[in-house]
Amino acid sequence: MSESLYVGKSLLRVDALAKALGTAQFTADLFPGKKGMLYVKVLRSPYAHARIVRCDTSKVEKYPGVKLVLTGEGVPEKFTWRVPPLLAHHESRWAGEGIAAIAADSPQQAEEALELIEVEYEELPAVLDAEEAMEPECRITVDPDWGKAPGGKPKTPERPNVTGHYKLRKGNVKEGFARADVIVENRFSTCRIHHCQLEPIACVAQPEEGGGLTLWTNGQGVYSVREEIGYILSLSPAQVRVISPYQGGSFGNRNRIFIEPLIAFIALKTGRPARINFTREEMYIASVSRLPIVSYIKTGVQKDGIITAQEMRIILDNGATYDAIQDGRAAASAAVCVYRIPNYYLDSYGVNTHTPPSGPYRGLGSTQVAWAVESQMNLLAEKLGMSPVEIRRKNILKRGEKNAFGETIESIGVGECLEAVALAMGKDLPPPSDGERWRRGKGLAIAGKQNQYLGRGEAEVLVYEDGNLEARFSSDEHGMGAETVMAQIVAEEFRTSPERIRIVRGDTALTPFNVKSASSYTTYCTGNAMRRASRDAIRQILEAAARRFETNPGDLEVANGKVFVKGSPQAAMRISDLFPNPSPNASQDHGIFKGGGKIVGRGIFSPRPNVPWDPETGQTEKMFNWYQYNAFGVEVEVDAETGQVRIVKAVGAFDMGFPINPKMCEAQIEGGLGMAIGATLLEEYVYERGRMINGSFGDYRVPTFGEVPLRRNVECLLAPDPLPDGPWGAKGIGEGAMVSIGPAIANAIQDAIGIRFKDMPLSPVRILQAIKARSNRGEEGAAGK
Amino acid sequence: MQVRNMATLGGGLCLGIPWIDTAPALVALEASVLLQSAQGYQRRMEVKDFFRGRGKTALKTDELLLGFKIPPLPLGTESVYLKYSPRGTFEWPMVGVAVLLTCDPRTLICETARIVIGAWGPRPFRARKAEALLVGSRIHQGMISEAAERTSADFVRTAGTRSDWYLQEMIRVWGKRAITEVCARLSLLEGAS
């Protein structure tokens, strides 16, 4: 293949200017002040678990501007394993579940009317802790009916709150531990946090003539939204058109569309357009959050650092909804995809509790499990007196080897990532400028993140009569740069400037099928489809041109909007000249009917399907599509008098396969760093009897630019191991970007102050408590620097 | 779209947020505010009395804050304001400590001490017992630690219900850091240990 022109280059994002200038349209920007618009507000339960004794809406119905009031009895009863009932029926299962909805002429009227709804609750006992909820003797059960949703597996009567259980059995763990010289056993935990994407949930539903509707939403995946609305409201796909404007971030939060079916229902019932914009507090309590995970881990190693056996028990708190991450298998993959573990015994459980719904969040559980695995690796290294780099180096899987799932690894660049980070972390920073109170430490970690099988992706490339191109696809653009990558792919295949390519994205009436952008899937799946669509269009061009050139299509090529015999660009014809001459009946004088028609290239890509795993051993030759890998090193400073931590340096190295746009890959690394700093050090849901009490940016702290290291102290390194079936070898990067950072920070804190933290977040309070506890035991100096 | 690059001292104070950064500094300076009503009446009030609980001030609905009066500082005075919040930036302080000390330039005896804590509480307050410890003495390292302990104890007594150990600990740590900083500026700690 000749040298690439547009892929592998850091081209400017196609949406850069519109977003910088503020002209890019997001869902919340659409239809300002539109006549007839109804504004929807939802009344939410204040109790973690309660029976709804009485819900009286009679006062509301007469309130000025109110057009519709709905309770659980007045909405369709269908639900799916991803979308809980639209409003609570008789019982509220988490503090934040919708009890009633009001549609009014203005958001103020809807808000005011909410106060007039009289609800009488009978508070019921709630189970808030996943470890307690999963026990067979737990008497309090969470929504036992949800297993009946299509696509959901029913829960077992033995463990009424367990939504799923995945078992991995490999080799003989007993023998493995017998061979070990050192065995380390620990419990690690992470708390519930939120994605806090910039744009809260927004959607607008517009009823259409003939019974259907059009829905604009920042929910992920126009086809996925259409399917779920169609199922719940019993509508044909032909009646639901879903459009995806630019999305202000998602990070997995908008993978679950709790509110769209309700807004669609209101629009259909009233015959008027309806919209909702969530408040920030609603985002925390009424959209999905990140799964809290508890991991028990026991690892045996030989003196030479080789792992002989590992046992894990991973408990996922699904909150009160019945989610896709039912059995924790995806989360558990973080404990499988990096190291060679000959003897393995792993159980993962998904558990329901009366807490806000959990769901996908950048990493799909990998971050929480890597927190355990990568902290454990350092503790093992410490016991062995070995360097944290060396113990990792010795156990990393090699390409062609089988991991503990039984999958053969085709692409794994994690070893190169580790070496690159170790080297970069060797360089020292100048000492801190503000005094001696900061203690420094360095830490690193490595990790992998699976790519889920999400079915096929489709794409179309249209060639217009003037030779201009249009790329059509249905991925999301929640900031990751899908539009730019698709433009680069088409540009590369056509060997033409991306400026000649128009993007049409995310509209079920115009763009071809795609489930959604999730699991860092878009470049790989839609990218492959886009490449095939480009080639399909080029094939049609070459076939048409071959007749003119009186040669075989295989002898021709395209570049810069022209077709020519390979190697003879001087004798080229324009692609636009291939279009048929004007019809003899048309008004030739004006020339306005020149050309006509368009060439449509179509591409479909579907990864090799998964192979069902053995239910007793969890073994399969294909569990996931591939793994993206990374290593992260951080240098921290800890104020031992306040417990405050600041990150002063960070180095991230990534194997995302071939980087289609290296600059955007670096941006993912930088963004992942900021998000991980918040997740590790600051963020946490604080509850009072199951009700979140810190649901605002004032009380739930996310990092600012002040909390990430200075740009000159952040290094982004790319260490790609090309994937055989990725476009040009590309995999993906978005989700893996934060997986290894948490444990790297904990490892660095241990290096700085000699204390190991096993529970997130590493808040100043928690750190100072540990420092005080140690000095009370009189151990300071022994472990501290 | 609101784009702001200026604010006023008085505007910040009138928000009535007791832990606003400027409040402890103004209290330490024994500053007072000048208020004027719509009828033209003027009154003066010390900043320490201006706060009336969270979000509330002594400002009446028909009054404007005209300005501040800050008494001149005698020779041998140094002051500092230190702020702490768990998130490093863009945040209200969890604890803000203002310390002002005046020492006789010849004897280095502390003549005036003002230690003011702005923290999660109803208003900025003065740590009188800690101040009393320092006045009349030549300040040394051990005395600073003792004053910081007293500051924290004063806060617990004044704020009443607050029993958050971390907040108390931060008042002690930042109180000590602030007093130490002022003493260093006054060259009180040289040669001593």
Side-chain angles (χ1 to χ4, degrees):
Chain A
M1 195 183 93
S2 51
E3 202 193 327
S4 71
L5 292 172
Y6 302 106
V7 298
K9 311 274 194 242
S10 294
L11 301 187
L12 188 68
R13 291 178 65 115
V14 299
D15 51 357
L17 197 62
K19 286 183 175 169
L21 294 176
T23 55
Q25 291 278 297
F26 295 81
T27 302
D29 297 326
L30 302 175
F31 316 115
K34 184 181 164 81
K35 200 161 166 280
M37 182 71 80
L38 292 177
Y39 298 83
V40 180
K41 292 275 177 188
V42 179
L43 181 74
R44 302 194 174 278
S45 166
Y47 297 106
H49 190 202
R51 195 165 70 83
I52 303 163
V53 180
R54 191 176 63 93
C55 182
D56 182 355
T57 59
S58 55
K59 283 187 193 157
V60 186
E61 280 146 22
K62 292 169 223 121
Y63 195 78
V66 171
K67 292 294 177 284
L68 184 68
V69 188
L70 292 169
T71 61
E73 279 66 52
V75 294
E77 284 190 4
K78 284 191 198 167
F79 53 88
T80 74
W81 52 271
R82 284 179 302 215
V83 182
L86 303 188
L87 293 169
H89 290 261
H90 316 299
E91 187 186 322
S92 134
R93 284 144 301 200
W94 81 87
E97 185 169 14
I99 303 294
I102 291 177
D105 289 330
S106 75
Q108 292 74 19
Q109 287 166 321
E111 184 91 53
E112 287 157 14
L114 276 188
E115 316 239 326
L116 301 175
I117 302 178
E118 289 171 13
V119 192
E120 192 186 316
Y121 297 97
E122 178 196 343
E123 203 178 345
L124 299 170
V127 57
L128 304 172
D129 178 80
E131 288 188 82
E132 192 188 320
M134 75 178 288
E135 289 307 319
E137 56 268 24
C138 182
R139 294 290 175 81
I140 308 165
T141 56
V142 188
D143 50 75
D145 289 342
W146 284 11
K148 292 176 189 159
K153 295 184 205 107
K155 292 192 259 186
T156 62
E158 296 83 55
R159 287 180 185 267
N161 292 319
V162 171
T163 58
H165 175 196
Y166 168 74
K167 290 188 248 184
L168 172 59
R169 309 284 182 259
K170 183 173 182 266
N172 185 325
V173 195
K174 215 171 159 190
E175 281 175 17
F177 282 122
R179 272 213 327 275
D181 296 305
V182 166
I183 296 175
V184 171
E185 216 173 334
N186 281 299
R187 176 190 185 273
F188 295 91
S189 77
T190 60
C191 57
R192 175 168 275 118
I193 62 174
H194 199 267
H195 317 65
C196 295
Q197 74 267 31
L198 210 53
E199 185 191 23
I201 289 175
C203 79
V204 184
Q206 158 90 53
E208 300 291 355
E209 299 290 326
L213 68 112
T214 303
L215 185 101
W216 292 260
T217 176
N218 55 13
Q220 277 172 247
V222 287
Y223 280 91
S224 165
V225 174
R226 186 181 76 166
E227 185 186 343
E228 248 143 355
I229 288 179
Y231 172 75
I232 290 167
L233 304 185
S234 306
L235 295 169
S236 149
Q239 291 176 297
V240 185
R241 178 182 180 185
V242 180
I243 298 174
S244 165
Y246 281 127
Q247 295 146 297
S250 173
F251 307 103
N253 176 267
R254 297 299 277 125
N255 204 318
R256 300 290 181 260
I257 51 144
F258 288 10
I259 201 72
E260 279 80 353
L262 181 66
I263 304 306
F265 177 72
I266 290 170
L268 289 176
K269 197 166 165 78
T270 58
R272 287 174 58 173
R275 78 180 310 153
I276 194 163
N277 294 335
F278 267 33
T279 63
R280 188 55 68 179
E281 190 190 5
E282 277 183 302
M283 291 301 292
Y284 287 110
I285 61 173
S287 73
V288 298
S289 51
R290 188 175 93 175
L291 287 158
I293 294 184
V294 174
S295 301
Y296 290 89
I297 180 167
K298 178 181 172 186
T299 315
V301 286
Q302 295 171 177
K303 277 198 195 95
D304 60 3
I306 302 291
I307 298 172
T308 60
Q310 187 157 291
E311 247 179 57
M312 278 192 93
R313 207 160 98 99
I314 299 169
I315 301 148
L316 287 74
D317 181 350
N318 273 331
T321 58
Y322 193 77
D323 206 85
I325 317 167
Q326 292 158 8
D327 61 5
R329 190 172 37 89
S333 70
V336 169
C337 67
V338 176
Y339 298 116
R340 187 183 305 109
I341 300 170
N343 303 291
Y344 215 148
Y345 191 99
L346 179 150
D347 290 277
S348 63
Y349 300 90
V351 184
N352 276 147
T353 59
H354 288 112
T355 57
S358 309
Y361 174 115
R362 203 175 195 176
L364 204 59
S366 302
T367 308
Q368 299 94 306
V369 171
W371 166 242
V373 171
E374 288 299 297
S375 299
Q376 180 86 341
M377 288 306 278
N378 266 46
L379 291 168
L380 287 164
E382 193 185 320
K383 277 237 171 168
L384 292 168
M386 187 177 272
S387 93
V389 175
E390 187 60 20
I391 191 170
R392 287 175 168 84
R393 198 180 271 149
K394 286 197 165 181
N395 291 289
I396 289 175
L397 286 161
K398 300 269 176 293
R399 195 179 309 115
E401 248 184 295
K402 279 193 159 92
N403 64 20
F405 285 140
E407 302 173 297
T408 304
I409 298 294
E410 291 181 319
S411 158
I412 178 163
V414 69
E416 290 75 7
C417 292
L418 173 66
E419 300 304 335
V421 166
L423 188 70
M425 288 304 291
K427 292 175 236 159
D428 285 321
L429 290 174
S433 58
D434 53 351
E436 299 156 1
R437 67 175 205 252
W438 296 99
R439 297 195 199 172
R440 280 225 175 127
K442 290 180 187 175
L444 58 74
I446 61 179
K449 154 77 182 57
Q450 42 70 19
N451 172 249
Q452 296 262 20
Y453 179 81
L454 292 171
R456 74 183 192 282
E458 296 183 6
E460 286 174 6
V461 172
L462 276 57
V463 185
Y464 284 97
E465 59 219 53
D466 63 355
N468 275 322
L469 304 171
E470 187 172 292
R472 293 188 175 190
F473 60 105
S474 295
S475 306
D476 300 294
E477 181 52 277
H478 31 62
M480 75 291 206
E483 294 191 347
T484 307
V485 165
M486 295 309 141
Q488 284 182 260
I489 288 173
V490 176
E492 184 66 36
E493 290 295 338
F494 278 85
R495 305 190 79 74
T496 193
S497 161
E499 279 131 46
R500 297 200 63 179
I501 301 159
R502 202 170 93 96
I503 300 289
V504 175
R505 181 192 58 80
D507 181 343
T508 55
L510 290 174
T511 57
F513 180 82
N514 208 320
V515 177
K516 62 182 72 170
S517 288
S519 207
S520 311
Y521 197 47
T522 304
T523 298
Y524 167 66
C525 183
T526 316
N528 267 327
M530 190 58 78
R531 204 175 176 196
R532 289 178 181 183
S534 302
R535 289 181 169 185
D536 185 43
I538 291 169
R539 176 188 58 78
Q540 295 174 51
I541 290 169
L542 297 187
E543 279 172 6
R547 291 192 289 274
R548 306 280 186 94
F549 280 101
E550 295 176 348
T551 179
N552 295 318
D555 297 334
L556 300 172
E557 62 179 319
V558 297
N560 300 317
K562 291 176 182 160
V563 194
F564 47 89
V565 175
K566 277 180 185 164
S568 309
Q570 64 282 2
M573 71 183 288
R574 288 193 299 269
I575 290 175
S576 56
D577 291 339
L578 289 170
F579 283 82
N581 282 324
S583 147
N585 300 325
S587 161
Q588 295 191 19
D589 295 346
H590 296 93
I592 54 167
F593 289 110
K594 186 197 178 299
K598 55 185 179 275
I599 293 168
V600 182
R602 292 192 170 84
I604 297 180
F605 176 80
S606 185
R608 198 159 49 85
N610 289 346
V611 179
W613 61 94
D614 182 302
E616 291 312 311
T617 65
Q619 296 292 300
T620 174
E621 64 187 72
K622 185 172 183 286
M623 184 74 86
F624 297 107
N625 294 325
W626 39 260
Y627 299 88
Q628 49 175 306
Y629 290 99
N630 60 76
F632 239 98
V634 296
E635 187 157 354
V636 303
E637 289 176 353
V638 184
D639 183 337
E641 284 185 331
T642 65
Q644 203 178 15
V645 175
R646 58 187 192 192
I647 315 290
V648 290
K649 176 181 168 173
V651 183
F654 268 73
D655 163 25
M656 74 306 287
F658 174 76
I660 302 270
N661 188 314
K663 195 85 206 163
M664 292 204 303
C665 291
E666 290 176 17
Q668 287 279 8
I669 300 173
E670 290 172 17
L673 174 64
M675 199 161 176
I677 288 173
T680 309
L681 299 179
L682 296 168
E683 298 175 39
E684 180 175 25
Y685 276 41
V686 179
Y687 302 98
E688 236 170 55
R689 291 161 71 209
R691 182 183 184 181
M692 189 203 193
I693 54 167
N694 61 333
S696 74
F697 277 171
D699 294 321
Y700 177 105
R701 289 173 180 79
V702 294
T704 70
F705 274 106
E707 278 65 61
V708 296
L710 297 174
R711 185 63 191 86
R712 66 168 182 271
N713 293 332
V714 177
E715 244 182 289
C716 303
L717 309 164
L718 309 184
D721 185 16
L723 181 73
D725 72 339
W728 292 274
K731 297 194 275 190
I733 184 168
E735 286 203 277
M738 67 185 285
V739 177
S740 57
I741 303 172
I745 292 173
N747 293 340
I749 291 175
Q750 176 163 31
D751 185 41
I753 60 170
I755 299 177
R756 168 59 52 178
F757 291 91
K758 297 174 186 171
D759 306 297
M760 279 194 194
L762 311 181
S763 63
V765 178
R766 184 167 273 159
I767 289 174
L768 191 64
Q769 262 169 347
I771 292 171
K772 293 266 170 202
R774 181 181 59 186
S775 66
N776 289 344
R777 291 195 305 268
E779 291 168 14
E780 194 155 21
K785 265 188 172 175
Chain B
M1 189 188 294
Q2 184 180 337
V3 178
R4 249 187 166 182
N5 53 18
M6 283 179 83
T8 62
L9 190 59
L13 216 62
C14 289
L15 288 171
I17 295 161
W19 51 85
I20 193 166
D21 288 317
T22 48
L26 289 167
V27 173
L29 293 168
E30 293 192 338
S32 45
V33 287
L34 187 61
L35 310 174
Q36 177 159 334
S37 74
Q39 281 78 34
Y41 298 114
Q42 284 197 357
R43 57 180 180 137
R44 256 179 69 178
M45 176 184 280
E46 281 201 50
V47 171
K48 73 175 171 57
D49 300 322
F50 187 66
F51 288 95
R52 298 284 161 90
R54 291 186 189 192
K56 293 184 192 132
T57 66
L59 197 71
K60 291 180 184 152
T61 46
D62 69 338
E63 277 180 323
L64 271 180
L65 190 150
L66 289 186
F68 292 87
K69 191 168 166 65
I70 299 173
L73 299 171
L75 209 64
T77 301
E78 286 289 348
S79 63
V80 74
Y81 172 72
L82 295 184
K83 164 186 183 170
Y84 173 69
S85 51
R87 181 171 67 191
T89 51
F90 208 79
E91 175 92 288
W92 296 107
M94 176 193 239
V95 176
V97 192
V99 173
L100 179 147
L101 298 176
T102 305
C103 288
D104 183 303
R106 285 172 298 114
T107 63
L108 299 181
I109 300 290
C110 175
E111 292 171 337
T112 306
R114 295 182 202 141
I115 301 171
V116 188
I117 307 296
W120 292 346
R123 59 182 174 82
F125 75 95
R126 285 191 48 181
R128 301 279 184 184
K129 293 212 167 152
E131 292 173 0
L133 180 77
L134 301 178
V135 173
S137 307
R138 167 100 200 250
I139 300 171
H140 56 81
Q141 203 71 259
M143 198 179 265
I144 294 175
S145 299
E146 175 61 21
E149 296 283 356
R150 285 195 187 189
T151 303
S152 188
D154 274 359
F155 174 80
V156 176
R157 217 173 15 254
T158 316
T161 54
R162 261 289 184 191
S163 61
D164 182 327
W165 76 271
Y166 186 75
L167 180 61
Q168 290 168 34
E169 188 62 18
M170 288 306 97
I171 292 172
R172 189 183 65 76
V173 167
W174 290 92
K176 185 174 172 184
R177 286 177 179 179
I179 301 168
T180 307
E181 172 72 30
V182 178
C183 290
R185 289 187 192 180
L186 288 166
S187 310
L188 294 181
L189 302 176
E190 282 159 23
S193 66

